[in-house]
Amino acid sequence: MSNIKKQFWWNNSQHRALFFQVLLVAMLVGFFWFIGSNTLTNLNNRGISTGFGFLSQVSGFGIIQHLVPFDETYTFGRTFLVGLLNTLIVSAVGVVFATIIGVVVGIARLSNNWLIAKLATVYIEIFRNIPLLLQMFFWYFAVLRTLPAPKQSWSAGDVVFLNIRGLYLPEPVFGPHFNYVFWCIGLAIVATLFISRWAKRRQDLTGKQFKTKTVGMGLIIGLPAIVFFLVDASLSWNMPALKGFNFQGGITVIPEFTALATALSIYTGAFIAEVVRSGILSVNSGQTEAASSLGLHKSRVLKLVVIPQAMRVIIPQLTSQYLNLVKNSSLATAIGYPDLVAVFAGTTLNQTGQAIEVIAMTMGVYLFISLLISGFMNWYNKKMLLVER
Amino acid sequence: MAVYITTPSPALPPPSTSVGVLGWMRKNLFSSFANSILTLIGVYLLFLIIPPTINWALFQADWVGTSREACSGEGACWVFVTVRFQQFMFGFYPPSEYWRVVVAFSLVGFLIAWLLIEETPKKGLVGIFTIFCYPVIAYLLFYGGALGLPVVETHKWGGLMLTLILATIGMFCALPIGIVLALGRRSTMPIAKSLSVVFIEFWRGVPLITVLFMSSVMLPIFMPEELQIDKLLRALIGIVFFQSAYMAEVVRGGLQAIPKGQYEAAEALGLSYWKCTFFIILPQALKLVIPGIVNTFIALFKDTTLVLIIGLFDLLAVVQSAFADAKWIGYSVEGYVFVAGIYWISCFSMSRYSQYLERKLHTGHAR
């Protein structure tokens, strides 16, 4: 027994791990202590006070697009909110259009029509391989900034106008009783949800089918329509019209928004197209053949067999593309669209000098959004895993 | 007497509508009514887009000249690009020193080609030279200050040169950090693991612009006042951190693809953790993720355009600032097309290369 070499404590892997981690923590603490002490000295020297007090100071600058009331007399806290809302609205519009483009192009690339498939491929390869910022500059400086003046606007049926000042859309004006119609739409959606659950349970138990889709569409469209005529809710449109040198009335979409949303949709659309294509291709052709041999119609094969399996591949990649889109919307600052980064990490930071607080808040927002989305993704993956047998 | 023909009669040729060009068109373009309509729409779209574009870019374009008077205004004015070509490539680098940039990039191009082409000998030696000696040579050539080379301050660097510098340095520094982070994330030590996860998820969760803002605004606050960090270096630090998080996830994908048997076999042979990692796991894992690394590089290459927001003059920024020249107002489309062409050719060829690697390296390890 005495022949066995004595094992030194530093050869024990547990002791080593402990030692290594203590070292790591010490280095980390040292690093933060170094940064912290430097920061305190530097801030003292520059006379910058720390804290979030600046959020209640008056900002003193205007923002060209605000979804909530805003002018120079509002606080920096309000600029944060305005910027955040601007980021969210451009991301939402981008997500919708990028999805539409992506699905259409992705399916087109798998088309058995040679020309259409090639056109889709060319679209994807062109727009994927050019930097987003360059595309944004192109749409903004080379296209939208060279549009005609308001008097020579391009118009679509005298309803929509496009000129160098922006895109003018008609604005719906809701009559006093119109809120009933909104309530009915909500009610119809809830009712449809309940009906579909009931129909699914009944089909599981008895095998009887129920035309949920027809009934649901009837409810969602029919109920509000009936109420619309019953309560005499008036809906009129506030049309943009040229008065003097500019358009009045309607909804004005600033060119920065149009350029940003266009570039984001086209760029992300190309990536989503590839996601959709890979999702559809990931479904084994045996699945389609088996479904067809069971006598299912082509549309039912797609709906019941291909799409549910493709979605399992598509959804995680799609959410990460959406996340990229939200993060990419921060490029807005380069063309002057007042998003969160532009008004908060840009203007607010310059005016207050509170670099640490401002950057931390801005990064916090993006981190929160991405954690939210990745949380959803984990939940979805777990749910999909259970379905798999 | 009846005659029986025992040999089968020769096969008839297929109908003329199912072979040749006609057959191909029938099958691929006009297989159904809907497809025919789609084809016609596609042809019409091509007719709308292609002829005017080619006319504008080639036939009616002006190529030679020294000022905007050389442009007729009918088609593209490439004179704008040719006149400022040197500036687009080198930024404000002094023209007498251009050769240094050319030598540095040629050298690295040569070294990388040596490493990528299969038949070349002594890859290990060249690799060590590339990793340890080349950075010093490149620094001396770009910045100067020794061997009789005059110093060129970093604020004079610009154009395509700066874009390439940002992308390559960002990549080469991010790779080792990314490997360490990926190993950390798969480690059994709870503190090392959670630190890696926090680091990776933090940088992946924020947009690059905020990272650049942070490194340009907050680094001077974090560092001692005597230490003045160069603007380019600050941007690079931000890019390296950002990129290393993405790199870590790519490498982790490779580590996960290595079968468990490899770890167990290495352990059974009595290899320590580091020996196992460096001689067994990493060589296999890195080989698997080369396509992923190339894809990350493409993304970084496109993302370097963002440095214009913090005031560095990369390719896009130099071209963008050239539009402001009063002598050349109104030629932005030409400038954008030129930049887009450079990016497109680089990114497209790199993505093709990564697809080729993916096919070549698919040796059955990936699960």
Side-chain angles (χ1 to χ4, degrees), chain A residues 10-25:
Chain A
W10 58 81
N11 278 342
N12 182 324
S13 65
Q14 281 180 354
H15 293 166
R16 275 192 178 191
L18 191 71
F19 171 74
F20 182 66
Q21 295 191 72
V22 168
L23 195 72
L24 203 63
V25 171

PDB file of all heavy atoms in Angstrom, chain A residues 10-25:
ATOM      1  N   TRP A  10      -3.070  19.456  -5.547  1.00  0.00           N
ATOM      2  CA  TRP A  10      -3.298  20.190  -6.799  1.00  0.00           C
ATOM      3  C   TRP A  10      -3.521  19.266  -7.989  1.00  0.00           C
ATOM      4  O   TRP A  10      -3.827  19.707  -9.072  1.00  0.00           O
ATOM      5  CB  TRP A  10      -2.148  21.161  -7.072  1.00  0.00           C
ATOM      6  CG  TRP A  10      -0.787  20.518  -7.173  1.00  0.00           C
ATOM      7  CD1 TRP A  10      -0.265  19.890  -8.243  1.00  0.00           C
ATOM      8  CD2 TRP A  10       0.185  20.471  -6.151  1.00  0.00           C
ATOM      9  NE1 TRP A  10       0.976  19.438  -7.976  1.00  0.00           N
ATOM     10  CE2 TRP A  10       1.297  19.791  -6.686  1.00  0.00           C
ATOM     11  CE3 TRP A  10       0.241  20.933  -4.818  1.00  0.00           C
ATOM     12  CZ2 TRP A  10       2.454  19.549  -5.945  1.00  0.00           C
ATOM     13  CZ3 TRP A  10       1.395  20.695  -4.095  1.00  0.00           C
ATOM     14  CH2 TRP A  10       2.485  20.005  -4.663  1.00  0.00           C
ATOM     15  N   ASN A  11      -3.374  17.962  -7.765  1.00  0.00           N
ATOM     16  CA  ASN A  11      -3.685  17.034  -8.845  1.00  0.00           C
ATOM     17  C   ASN A  11      -5.140  16.559  -8.806  1.00  0.00           C
ATOM     18  O   ASN A  11      -5.582  15.862  -9.698  1.00  0.00           O
ATOM     19  CB  ASN A  11      -2.759  15.826  -8.789  1.00  0.00           C
ATOM     20  CG  ASN A  11      -1.434  16.173  -9.445  1.00  0.00           C
ATOM     21  OD1 ASN A  11      -1.349  17.131 -10.193  1.00  0.00           O
ATOM     22  ND2 ASN A  11      -0.410  15.399  -9.121  1.00  0.00           N
ATOM     23  N   ASN A  12      -5.848  16.967  -7.774  1.00  0.00           N
ATOM     24  CA  ASN A  12      -7.251  16.588  -7.679  1.00  0.00           C
ATOM     25  C   ASN A  12      -8.078  17.535  -8.551  1.00  0.00           C
ATOM     26  O   ASN A  12      -7.973  18.758  -8.425  1.00  0.00           O
ATOM     27  CB  ASN A  12      -7.667  16.700  -6.201  1.00  0.00           C
ATOM     28  CG  ASN A  12      -9.096  16.281  -6.004  1.00  0.00           C
ATOM     29  OD1 ASN A  12      -9.937  16.536  -6.845  1.00  0.00           O
ATOM     30  ND2 ASN A  12      -9.371  15.641  -4.882  1.00  0.00           N
ATOM     31  N   SER A  13      -8.893  16.953  -9.430  1.00  0.00           N
ATOM     32  CA  SER A  13      -9.580  17.815 -10.400  1.00  0.00           C
ATOM     33  C   SER A  13     -10.585  18.747  -9.729  1.00  0.00           C
ATOM     34  O   SER A  13     -10.787  19.870 -10.179  1.00  0.00           O
ATOM     35  CB  SER A  13     -10.285  16.959 -11.450  1.00  0.00           C
ATOM     36  OG  SER A  13     -11.297  16.211 -10.845  1.00  0.00           O
ATOM     37  N   GLN A  14     -11.182  18.281  -8.612  1.00  0.00           N
ATOM     38  CA  GLN A  14     -12.134  19.170  -7.927  1.00  0.00           C
ATOM     39  C   GLN A  14     -11.421  20.373  -7.333  1.00  0.00           C
ATOM     40  O   GLN A  14     -11.879  21.507  -7.437  1.00  0.00           O
ATOM     41  CB  GLN A  14     -12.860  18.402  -6.831  1.00  0.00           C
ATOM     42  CG  GLN A  14     -13.973  17.548  -7.398  1.00  0.00           C
ATOM     43  CD  GLN A  14     -14.700  16.783  -6.330  1.00  0.00           C
ATOM     44  OE1 GLN A  14     -14.304  16.805  -5.164  1.00  0.00           O
ATOM     45  NE2 GLN A  14     -15.755  16.117  -6.721  1.00  0.00           N
ATOM     46  N   HIS A  15     -10.272  20.106  -6.713  1.00  0.00           N
ATOM     47  CA  HIS A  15      -9.511  21.225  -6.144  1.00  0.00           C
ATOM     48  C   HIS A  15      -9.067  22.185  -7.230  1.00  0.00           C
ATOM     49  O   HIS A  15      -9.132  23.399  -7.071  1.00  0.00           O
ATOM     50  CB  HIS A  15      -8.286  20.691  -5.390  1.00  0.00           C
ATOM     51  CG  HIS A  15      -8.661  19.925  -4.166  1.00  0.00           C
ATOM     52  ND1 HIS A  15      -7.775  19.135  -3.492  1.00  0.00           N
ATOM     53  CD2 HIS A  15      -9.840  19.825  -3.516  1.00  0.00           C
ATOM     54  CE1 HIS A  15      -8.388  18.582  -2.461  1.00  0.00           C
ATOM     55  NE2 HIS A  15      -9.637  18.987  -2.463  1.00  0.00           N
ATOM     56  N   ARG A  16      -8.650  21.630  -8.357  1.00  0.00           N
ATOM     57  CA  ARG A  16      -8.219  22.474  -9.463  1.00  0.00           C
ATOM     58  C   ARG A  16      -9.353  23.362  -9.937  1.00  0.00           C
ATOM     59  O   ARG A  16      -9.171  24.553 -10.166  1.00  0.00           O
ATOM     60  CB  ARG A  16      -7.765  21.605 -10.628  1.00  0.00           C
ATOM     61  CG  ARG A  16      -6.358  21.177 -10.515  1.00  0.00           C
ATOM     62  CD  ARG A  16      -5.947  20.591 -11.822  1.00  0.00           C
ATOM     63  NE  ARG A  16      -4.563  20.187 -11.784  1.00  0.00           N
ATOM     64  CZ  ARG A  16      -3.890  19.835 -12.844  1.00  0.00           C
ATOM     65  NH1 ARG A  16      -4.489  19.842 -14.017  1.00  0.00           N
ATOM     66  NH2 ARG A  16      -2.635  19.492 -12.746  1.00  0.00           N
ATOM     67  N   ALA A  17     -10.532  22.746 -10.114  1.00  0.00           N
ATOM     68  CA  ALA A  17     -11.679  23.516 -10.587  1.00  0.00           C
ATOM     69  C   ALA A  17     -11.979  24.650  -9.615  1.00  0.00           C
ATOM     70  O   ALA A  17     -12.216  25.789 -10.017  1.00  0.00           O
ATOM     71  CB  ALA A  17     -12.892  22.604 -10.735  1.00  0.00           C
ATOM     72  N   LEU A  18     -11.927  24.318  -8.331  1.00  0.00           N
ATOM     73  CA  LEU A  18     -12.214  25.338  -7.322  1.00  0.00           C
ATOM     74  C   LEU A  18     -11.204  26.476  -7.420  1.00  0.00           C
ATOM     75  O   LEU A  18     -11.560  27.659  -7.475  1.00  0.00           O
ATOM     76  CB  LEU A  18     -12.157  24.699  -5.933  1.00  0.00           C
ATOM     77  CG  LEU A  18     -12.701  25.577  -4.806  1.00  0.00           C
ATOM     78  CD1 LEU A  18     -14.198  25.693  -4.929  1.00  0.00           C
ATOM     79  CD2 LEU A  18     -12.318  25.007  -3.456  1.00  0.00           C
ATOM     80  N   PHE A  19      -9.917  26.093  -7.505  1.00  0.00           N
ATOM     81  CA  PHE A  19      -8.854  27.088  -7.585  1.00  0.00           C
ATOM     82  C   PHE A  19      -9.041  27.977  -8.811  1.00  0.00           C
ATOM     83  O   PHE A  19      -8.971  29.206  -8.744  1.00  0.00           O
ATOM     84  CB  PHE A  19      -7.498  26.367  -7.644  1.00  0.00           C
ATOM     85  CG  PHE A  19      -6.355  27.276  -7.949  1.00  0.00           C
ATOM     86  CD1 PHE A  19      -5.883  28.157  -6.975  1.00  0.00           C
ATOM     87  CD2 PHE A  19      -5.747  27.257  -9.193  1.00  0.00           C
ATOM     88  CE1 PHE A  19      -4.829  28.998  -7.255  1.00  0.00           C
ATOM     89  CE2 PHE A  19      -4.700  28.109  -9.480  1.00  0.00           C
ATOM     90  CZ  PHE A  19      -4.237  28.982  -8.505  1.00  0.00           C
ATOM     91  N   PHE A  20      -9.322  27.331  -9.932  1.00  0.00           N
ATOM     92  CA  PHE A  20      -9.467  28.071 -11.178  1.00  0.00           C
ATOM     93  C   PHE A  20     -10.625  29.061 -11.096  1.00  0.00           C
ATOM     94  O   PHE A  20     -10.527  30.214 -11.514  1.00  0.00           O
ATOM     95  CB  PHE A  20      -9.698  27.076 -12.315  1.00  0.00           C
ATOM     96  CG  PHE A  20      -9.806  27.736 -13.651  1.00  0.00           C
ATOM     97  CD1 PHE A  20      -8.701  28.374 -14.200  1.00  0.00           C
ATOM     98  CD2 PHE A  20     -10.996  27.745 -14.360  1.00  0.00           C
ATOM     99  CE1 PHE A  20      -8.785  28.986 -15.431  1.00  0.00           C
ATOM    100  CE2 PHE A  20     -11.086  28.359 -15.580  1.00  0.00           C
ATOM    101  CZ  PHE A  20      -9.982  28.981 -16.119  1.00  0.00           C
ATOM    102  N   GLN A  21     -11.727  28.610 -10.487  1.00  0.00           N
ATOM    103  CA  GLN A  21     -12.888  29.497 -10.428  1.00  0.00           C
ATOM    104  C   GLN A  21     -12.661  30.643  -9.462  1.00  0.00           C
ATOM    105  O   GLN A  21     -13.098  31.768  -9.707  1.00  0.00           O
ATOM    106  CB  GLN A  21     -14.126  28.699 -10.042  1.00  0.00           C
ATOM    107  CG  GLN A  21     -14.475  27.695 -11.109  1.00  0.00           C
ATOM    108  CD  GLN A  21     -15.817  27.076 -10.892  1.00  0.00           C
ATOM    109  OE1 GLN A  21     -16.825  27.726 -11.087  1.00  0.00           O
ATOM    110  NE2 GLN A  21     -15.830  25.835 -10.471  1.00  0.00           N
ATOM    111  N   VAL A  22     -11.974  30.375  -8.362  1.00  0.00           N
ATOM    112  CA  VAL A  22     -11.651  31.462  -7.432  1.00  0.00           C
ATOM    113  C   VAL A  22     -10.796  32.502  -8.144  1.00  0.00           C
ATOM    114  O   VAL A  22     -11.031  33.711  -8.050  1.00  0.00           O
ATOM    115  CB  VAL A  22     -10.929  30.906  -6.183  1.00  0.00           C
ATOM    116  CG1 VAL A  22     -10.339  32.045  -5.366  1.00  0.00           C
ATOM    117  CG2 VAL A  22     -11.893  30.108  -5.341  1.00  0.00           C
ATOM    118  N   LEU A  23      -9.837  32.005  -8.946  1.00  0.00           N
ATOM    119  CA  LEU A  23      -8.989  32.902  -9.710  1.00  0.00           C
ATOM    120  C   LEU A  23      -9.824  33.748 -10.671  1.00  0.00           C
ATOM    121  O   LEU A  23      -9.634  34.967 -10.788  1.00  0.00           O
ATOM    122  CB  LEU A  23      -7.973  32.070 -10.498  1.00  0.00           C
ATOM    123  CG  LEU A  23      -6.791  32.817 -11.078  1.00  0.00           C
ATOM    124  CD1 LEU A  23      -5.854  33.228  -9.965  1.00  0.00           C
ATOM    125  CD2 LEU A  23      -6.063  31.947 -12.087  1.00  0.00           C
ATOM    126  N   LEU A  24     -10.764  33.090 -11.328  1.00  0.00           N
ATOM    127  CA  LEU A  24     -11.621  33.776 -12.288  1.00  0.00           C
ATOM    128  C   LEU A  24     -12.408  34.891 -11.614  1.00  0.00           C
ATOM    129  O   LEU A  24     -12.464  36.029 -12.097  1.00  0.00           O
ATOM    130  CB  LEU A  24     -12.573  32.742 -12.900  1.00  0.00           C
ATOM    131  CG  LEU A  24     -13.165  33.057 -14.253  1.00  0.00           C
ATOM    132  CD1 LEU A  24     -12.069  33.152 -15.280  1.00  0.00           C
ATOM    133  CD2 LEU A  24     -14.163  31.978 -14.630  1.00  0.00           C
ATOM    134  N   VAL A  25     -13.001  34.541 -10.460  1.00  0.00           N
ATOM    135  CA  VAL A  25     -13.801  35.539  -9.740  1.00  0.00           C
ATOM    136  C   VAL A  25     -12.903  36.694  -9.302  1.00  0.00           C
ATOM    137  O   VAL A  25     -13.276  37.870  -9.435  1.00  0.00           O
ATOM    138  CB  VAL A  25     -14.502  34.892  -8.532  1.00  0.00           C
ATOM    139  CG1 VAL A  25     -15.141  35.952  -7.662  1.00  0.00           C
ATOM    140  CG2 VAL A  25     -15.540  33.911  -9.001  1.00  0.00           C
TER     141      VAL A  25
END
